[in-house]
Amino acid sequence: MDTGACVNEHARNEGTGNEETGNEGTAGGGAAGTTSVGLDLSQWKYLSREAREPQMHAILTVEADGTQGGGTQGAGVGPMLAQVLAVDCSSSMAYPQEKLRAAHQAAVAALRLLPDGTPFAVVRGTQSADLVYPTTATMARADARHRARAERAVLNLVAGGGTCIGSWLDLSRRLLIDADAPIGHVLLLTDGKNQHDELMPLSEVLDACAGRFVCDAWGIGDGWDGRELLRITSRLHGTASSVREEASLPEEYARLTRRLLAKSIPELVIAVTPTAGARVRSLKQVFPTEVELDPVGTDGDGTLRFVTRAWGDETRRYQLCLSADPTGMPSGEDLQLAVVALDVPGGRGVEVTPPLPCVVHWTDDVALSGQSDIQVEHFERHQRLGEAVAAATDAHRGRRRDAAEHHLGRAVQLAHAIGAEQALDRLERLVEVLDAEAGRVRLRPGVAAVDFEHLITASSHSTYGPDAGSTDDMFLGDPVAATVRCPSCRERTPATARFCPLCGHDLRERA
């Protein structure tokens, strides 16, 4: 059976952030005035029959287009967004005073952008959670009067108490359950660690909140925990960010609120149907940030459905991992391993492109099975970047300067190779880069613990990654869309590269 090779992107406009493909009906292919969601799939299909646990990895590119043209909302449809602003008011927010002042201004900036009719609430977060606006148990509906009253309530917030983030999220969940809006969102700000977790354990609250709303979290000051914010936002389909200068927070809040108001697809389902002998091991978002995805149910045909939330005009990428069993399967031909499809619950006037196959080609050719998809490797490197940053953070906390410097050098090497400019900028605050390709760095004097927290949030923002070449090239086994291992550093590098981008080894020696 020959299903052909899976579809890959052909070009990307880096300057605008918009993607273009050369395939009819793929991402961004909707007609003018309509909302469309497209799917592309990139993989290296060749697997060895001798592998101990054969796994197929593929990158799915999902692009929504035309959402801001009104295609997902008809006349009489209510507001899409319900917004909760959770503001840390623990004692530490009082010092320096600029922190609480910036939190006030940021919340006000977000409130002023909410269109009339938008359900909203403001939560004061300490070791407990208090609803400061409205004063009733249900969310207010934005209008001139409610916005003005909410601003006054925000400006009167005072600092005092501890930090129990679980209680803030739990109150937000209860408020959003009753809100009549398809997209629930929590914008959370904190300057400290979750020191009173025993009062309402965060792990239990995240279980209750998962799938209920999206949460974006911001760190401010010098006492917050980057990995804790990532734990929250990865589970709740959001983004963890931070600011070094308190004065920049209001504009960041305004920018985020504008993006939220442009979203009009509450949820999008990625459905994966494996064939006999195949199993879905995982599906995770890898761009623009990493997000955990758990299947919400299994259909009778074995289809697993993964829900992604709150879409506007944007592109996201996902890494699919399938296990494959070669027993009884023929070699030398393409076999369908799974089918990937998109679905918009309720339709909402969205055009969805047809499903795509994920294929496997069992081979005894070590040269073919030893290669990997170039997009898969790109996001594997992003994962290793995050691991290097985490290791450097732990080493610095343990006062192991040499180990911290070693891991930071590795992080610089990876960030340079994948073009992670934001992470590189944050890394250069911690180290003097002597040779980015070789990962040679020197730790700067006076590096503070919070510098590592900023680095953790920066490294969670991934880059789009390379294009994978044409479908025909993939089908013919051309290595344009594949990687091979460098014989010197053992890292994967593009199969057509002359020199390893990480260690500089002359790859022409392979010939």
Side-chain angles (χ1 to χ4, degrees), residues 370-371 377 483-488 490-493 507 510:
Q371 299 184 38
E377 180 57 28
T483 66
V484 294
R485 289 202 181 277
C486 169
S488 177
R490 303 304 298 164
E491 282 288 343
R492 287 194 170 274
T493 188
L507 298 172
R510 291 187 308 227

Side-chain angles (χ1 to χ4, degrees), residues 174-253:
R174 288 183 276 121
L175 289 166
L176 289 168
I177 285 176
D178 296 328
D180 184 21
I183 298 174
H185 184 265
V186 175
L187 184 47
L188 184 151
L189 174 71
T190 184
D191 80 327
K193 297 178 176 63
N194 191 35
Q195 65 184 133
H196 293 297
D197 187 67
E198 73 283 355
L199 298 177
M200 189 168 288
L202 183 58
S203 58
E204 296 177 8
V205 174
L206 290 176
D207 287 342
C209 293
R212 302 280 186 177
F213 57 83
V214 174
C215 177
D216 291 303
W218 286 80
I220 189 173
D222 60 5
W224 50 280
D225 187 329
R227 278 182 278 197
E228 194 165 71
L229 296 191
L230 287 179
R231 177 187 173 196
I232 294 168
T233 57
S234 176
R235 191 73 192 279
L236 301 182
H237 292 216
T239 300
S241 303
S242 60
V243 291
R244 285 185 172 274
E245 303 297 332
E246 285 85 355
S248 65
L249 188 64
E251 179 53 36
E252 294 293 345
Y253 261 44

Side-chain angles (χ1 to χ4, degrees), residues 87-144:
V87 183
D88 187 344
C89 291
S90 59
S91 298
S92 57
M93 284 291 288
Y95 307 100
Q97 294 181 352
E98 287 76 14
K99 276 195 295 186
L100 190 57
R101 186 178 303 118
H104 288 166
Q105 294 170 346
V108 167
L111 287 170
R112 289 177 177 175
L113 289 172
L114 298 180
D116 285 355
T118 303
F120 78 95
V122 180
V123 170
R124 178 179 184 266
T126 57
Q127 71 271 17
S128 61
D130 299 305
L131 182 59
V132 296
Y133 197 85
T135 55
T136 60
T138 57
M139 301 177 76
R141 295 273 179 168
D143 59 23

Side-chain angles (χ1 to χ4, degrees), residues 292-358:
E292 295 180 21
L293 293 176
D294 295 318
V296 296
T298 304
D299 294 345
D301 59 356
T303 299
L304 295 184
R305 297 171 62 82
F306 299 84
V307 177
T308 67
R309 301 191 183 278
W311 286 78
D313 280 2
E314 60 187 292
T315 300
R316 303 180 194 174
R317 282 184 153 176
Y318 302 86
Q319 184 168 350
L320 172 65
C321 178
L322 301 164
S323 63
D325 184 358
T327 304
M329 297 295 178
S331 297
E333 59 183 277
D334 288 357
L335 305 172
Q336 186 166 288
L337 195 58
V339 174
V340 182
L342 302 178
D343 176 44
V344 178
R348 306 189 67 87
V350 180
E351 296 180 358
V352 179
T353 55
L356 291 176
C358 185

Side-chain angles (χ1 to χ4, degrees), residues 367-433:
L368 278 177
S369 63
Q371 299 184 38
S372 177
D373 180 75
I374 197 169
Q375 292 182 8
V376 170
E377 180 57 28
H378 175 82
F379 292 108
E380 296 280 348
R381 283 183 179 172
H382 262 293
Q383 181 177 329
R384 293 197 290 275
L385 169 60
E387 292 168 352
V389 167
T393 303
D394 291 338
H396 184 263
R397 287 175 179 171
R399 301 184 184 277
R400 294 179 285 118
R401 181 184 176 89
D402 289 346
E405 191 171 83
H406 168 76
H407 292 302
L408 288 171
R410 177 64 173 150
V412 165
Q413 188 181 41
L414 288 163
H416 173 75
I418 59 182
E421 295 297 332
Q422 185 182 28
L424 275 174
D425 288 344
R426 296 281 172 93
L427 281 161
E428 288 179 355
R429 289 179 174 269
L430 280 71
V431 296
E432 178 186 354
V433 179

Side-chain angles (χ1 to χ4, degrees), residues 12-33:
R12 180 169 194 263
N13 186 329
E14 291 289 350
T16 64
N18 294 325
E19 289 68 46
E20 301 174 355
T21 66
N23 300 312
E24 289 289 336
T26 55

